[in-house]
Amino acid sequence: VNYYIKELYGDPEEEPNVWKSALATLALHAPAPVFEHPVVTKLLQSKWAAFGKAMFYGTQGFYLSICVLYFYSFVATPEKCGTNGILRLLTGVLATLGAAGQVILACRQGYLGLNGHVNFPGWIHRISGDRLPTVLTIPRTLMNPWNATRVPTYICIGLVTLSG
């Protein structure tokens, strides 16, 4: 049996919004056994090999480098307080760049309408006296709790390391 995965793979030239691709629809709405089908498995393997693996390891390496630099600069060697240490300065610069990158991505997604919706629990709505909306629209990158946590974390690390 021959399968053609072009329609599932998607073409960014034809549709730049990856959330409108067939694979995104499967990820959002299909039951888990769909991902055991040989076509979907092959598609995921090819996407992982083409760019997913490099993107994943690159971003995780960036996050890990900030964590390691912060730990070494502030926890392992607390006697060297101040911004005069090159590692502390590097930690602050990387954290500031990370925060800026996340904010730029979120702003770009908001501008392009690539948003998701977060529903507030009913008790928050009742406590606010119906002053809060029941649904909040936010950029998709911030729908991931890890990304939403990184922005304030990077800002705090940047402030701590770059302030005298």
Side-chain angles (χ1 to χ4, degrees), residues 78-148:
E79 67 278 355
K80 296 180 182 178
C81 288
T83 57
N84 55 359
I86 188 74
L87 291 180
R88 287 185 183 219
L89 183 62
L90 182 60
T91 304
V93 168
L94 287 177
T96 303
L97 289 174
Q102 291 280 338
V103 168
I104 289 169
L105 177 61
C107 290
R108 182 175 179 268
Q109 287 182 348
Y111 176 76
L112 295 174
L114 304 175
N115 299 314
H117 305 287
V118 176
N119 294 323
F120 283 111
W123 62 270
I124 291 179
H125 193 63
R126 286 189 300 276
I127 289 174
S128 73
D130 295 334
R131 288 186 298 264
L132 288 176
T134 56
V135 177
L136 181 65
T137 302
I138 61 173
R140 285 203 179 114
T141 190
L142 299 177
M143 296 283 297
N144 179 328
W146 291 107
N147 289 338

Side-chain angles (χ1 to χ4, degrees), residues 20-73:
K20 291 184 178 179
S21 71
L23 185 60
T25 303
L26 286 176
L28 291 173
H29 303 292
V34 167
F35 293 93
E36 296 172 5
H37 191 277
V39 173
V40 179
T41 303
K42 180 63 178 171
L43 174 66
L44 293 173
Q45 288 172 347
S46 65
K47 281 192 170 266
W48 177 254
F51 60 87
K53 186 182 201 179
M55 180 67 91
F56 176 78
Y57 286 129
T59 56
Q60 296 306 310
F62 179 77
Y63 304 146
L64 182 64
S65 66
I66 292 175
C67 289
V68 167
L69 286 169
Y70 183 83
F71 175 79
Y72 181 76
S73 299

